[in-house]
Amino acid sequence: MKKGLIMEGGAMRGLFTAGVTDVLMENDVKFDGGIGTSAGAAFGCNYKSHQIGRVLRYNKEYCNDKRYISAKGFFKTGNLYSEDFCYHEIPEVLDKFDFETFNKDPMEFYVTCTNIETGLAVHHKHDEKTEDMNTFLEWVRASCAMPLLEQIVEINGLKLLDGGVGDSVPLRFMEEKGYDRNVVILTQPVTYEKKMIKYGLLARKVYKQYPKLTDAMLDRHERYNETYAYILDRERRGEIFVIRPPKALNISVTNKPEEIQRVYDIGRNEGLKVVDKVKEFLI
């Protein structure tokens, strides 16, 4: 039996995931492998580094810092979130990411990105023997790089953007890897249905060199909803364990610490409700 943790993205909705995972870590819930898409990768990697509370801490501390996120920075660099501040200064200096513990923990960790030349998902497995922290964090940055709001990230000849375009909830990937006891953390309620994006023409114009990317952006809602139906079916059969918010989280990019705390607390509350059931499921 292989125990897997699958974490959906969703930008600041990922604070719900952080609340859940902090509770799971506090209760010593172990997984053989984990995978995160976008915020699921950026926040979820702290599971493997055993850093309870880190996600909440740095988001509240720097949400008002212009070095973290700003419209001015976007127009200057093409990145809404600062590459240097978010992926270097915070994890290396201000609120250090414990890369040593991350590497020592036997849990496999995958990051989901989208190859913009193919429109397909890339599921990158961290290799502690060959990959330093900067390279790993580049994969995380690529996974979080929202189309139109972030620059394309190039790693090992691949041109990458937001993993959610290619595979928002990579449950099937983990199943294909042999993970047969999976906990899935979603950031949308059970009633959610994704709609087609409204900025398709702009996307076609900006990414005219990458038609397969824009095709994937335009049919993402269909693939997401099909995946969601698959998850619901597997959940009803008792084959996976799903943790989701009870209602829409209603949070976007915010500079309000109280909003960050609110969504995190919803995640904690849901985690506390189900942690014993998760332990039973994983036996």
Side-chain angles (χ1 to χ4, degrees), residues 50 53 86 99 106 124 140 155 200:
H50 304 183
C86 294
F99 196 61
H124 172 74
V140 173
I155 307 174

PDB file of all heavy atoms in Angstrom, residues 50 53 86 99 106 124 140 155 200:
ATOM      1  N   HIS A  50       8.406  19.533   7.186  1.00  0.00           N
ATOM      2  CA  HIS A  50       7.905  19.490   8.567  1.00  0.00           C
ATOM      3  C   HIS A  50       7.746  20.877   9.183  1.00  0.00           C
ATOM      4  O   HIS A  50       7.924  21.036  10.395  1.00  0.00           O
ATOM      5  CB  HIS A  50       8.818  18.656   9.468  1.00  0.00           C
ATOM      6  CG  HIS A  50       9.059  17.261   8.999  1.00  0.00           C
ATOM      7  ND1 HIS A  50       9.814  16.344   9.722  1.00  0.00           N
ATOM      8  CD2 HIS A  50       8.655  16.592   7.888  1.00  0.00           C
ATOM      9  CE1 HIS A  50       9.866  15.196   9.075  1.00  0.00           C
ATOM     10  NE2 HIS A  50       9.170  15.324   7.940  1.00  0.00           N
ATOM     11  N   GLY A  53       2.938  25.753  10.286  1.00  0.00           N
ATOM     12  CA  GLY A  53       2.691  27.179  10.492  1.00  0.00           C
ATOM     13  C   GLY A  53       3.459  28.116   9.591  1.00  0.00           C
ATOM     14  O   GLY A  53       3.195  29.324   9.582  1.00  0.00           O
ATOM     15  N   CYS A  86       9.941  36.310  -3.392  1.00  0.00           N
ATOM     16  CA  CYS A  86       9.133  35.137  -3.026  1.00  0.00           C
ATOM     17  C   CYS A  86       9.921  33.838  -3.054  1.00  0.00           C
ATOM     18  O   CYS A  86       9.684  32.946  -2.229  1.00  0.00           O
ATOM     19  CB  CYS A  86       7.934  35.016  -3.957  1.00  0.00           C
ATOM     20  SG  CYS A  86       6.745  36.361  -3.806  1.00  0.00           S
ATOM     21  N   PHE A  99      15.351  22.993   3.746  1.00  0.00           N
ATOM     22  CA  PHE A  99      15.637  22.096   2.632  1.00  0.00           C
ATOM     23  C   PHE A  99      16.352  20.832   3.106  1.00  0.00           C
ATOM     24  O   PHE A  99      16.201  19.760   2.513  1.00  0.00           O
ATOM     25  CB  PHE A  99      16.480  22.823   1.582  1.00  0.00           C
ATOM     26  CG  PHE A  99      16.533  22.147   0.244  1.00  0.00           C
ATOM     27  CD1 PHE A  99      15.383  21.931  -0.500  1.00  0.00           C
ATOM     28  CD2 PHE A  99      17.744  21.723  -0.280  1.00  0.00           C
ATOM     29  CE1 PHE A  99      15.435  21.299  -1.733  1.00  0.00           C
ATOM     30  CE2 PHE A  99      17.808  21.094  -1.519  1.00  0.00           C
ATOM     31  CZ  PHE A  99      16.645  20.877  -2.251  1.00  0.00           C
ATOM     32  N   PRO A 106      11.674  10.763   3.752  1.00  0.00           N
ATOM     33  CA  PRO A 106      11.564   9.808   2.638  1.00  0.00           C
ATOM     34  C   PRO A 106      10.366  10.034   1.723  1.00  0.00           C
ATOM     35  O   PRO A 106      10.268   9.402   0.664  1.00  0.00           O
ATOM     36  CB  PRO A 106      11.443   8.459   3.363  1.00  0.00           C
ATOM     37  CG  PRO A 106      10.854   8.797   4.691  1.00  0.00           C
ATOM     38  CD  PRO A 106      11.444  10.130   5.060  1.00  0.00           C
ATOM     39  N   HIS A 124       6.921  16.815 -12.099  1.00  0.00           N
ATOM     40  CA  HIS A 124       8.348  16.738 -11.792  1.00  0.00           C
ATOM     41  C   HIS A 124       8.573  16.189 -10.399  1.00  0.00           C
ATOM     42  O   HIS A 124       8.071  16.725  -9.408  1.00  0.00           O
ATOM     43  CB  HIS A 124       8.981  18.122 -11.896  1.00  0.00           C
ATOM     44  CG  HIS A 124      10.397  18.166 -11.409  1.00  0.00           C
ATOM     45  ND1 HIS A 124      11.450  17.643 -12.122  1.00  0.00           N
ATOM     46  CD2 HIS A 124      10.933  18.665 -10.249  1.00  0.00           C
ATOM     47  CE1 HIS A 124      12.575  17.823 -11.447  1.00  0.00           C
ATOM     48  NE2 HIS A 124      12.293  18.428 -10.306  1.00  0.00           N
ATOM     49  N   VAL A 140       8.735  25.035  -8.378  1.00  0.00           N
ATOM     50  CA  VAL A 140       7.572  25.549  -7.653  1.00  0.00           C
ATOM     51  C   VAL A 140       7.095  26.859  -8.268  1.00  0.00           C
ATOM     52  O   VAL A 140       5.892  27.082  -8.455  1.00  0.00           O
ATOM     53  CB  VAL A 140       7.907  25.733  -6.159  1.00  0.00           C
ATOM     54  CG1 VAL A 140       6.763  26.431  -5.438  1.00  0.00           C
ATOM     55  CG2 VAL A 140       8.192  24.385  -5.503  1.00  0.00           C
ATOM     56  N   ILE A 155      13.145  25.723 -17.563  1.00  0.00           N
ATOM     57  CA  ILE A 155      13.963  24.794 -16.779  1.00  0.00           C
ATOM     58  C   ILE A 155      14.342  23.614 -17.664  1.00  0.00           C
ATOM     59  O   ILE A 155      13.466  22.961 -18.246  1.00  0.00           O
ATOM     60  CB  ILE A 155      13.217  24.267 -15.531  1.00  0.00           C
ATOM     61  CG1 ILE A 155      12.672  25.423 -14.682  1.00  0.00           C
ATOM     62  CG2 ILE A 155      14.135  23.375 -14.697  1.00  0.00           C
ATOM     63  CD1 ILE A 155      11.801  24.970 -13.532  1.00  0.00           C
ATOM     64  N   GLY A 200     -10.172  34.477 -23.395  1.00  0.00           N
ATOM     65  CA  GLY A 200      -9.591  33.603 -24.407  1.00  0.00           C
ATOM     66  C   GLY A 200      -8.922  34.352 -25.547  1.00  0.00           C
ATOM     67  O   GLY A 200      -7.834  33.967 -25.996  1.00  0.00           O
TER      68      GLY A 200
END
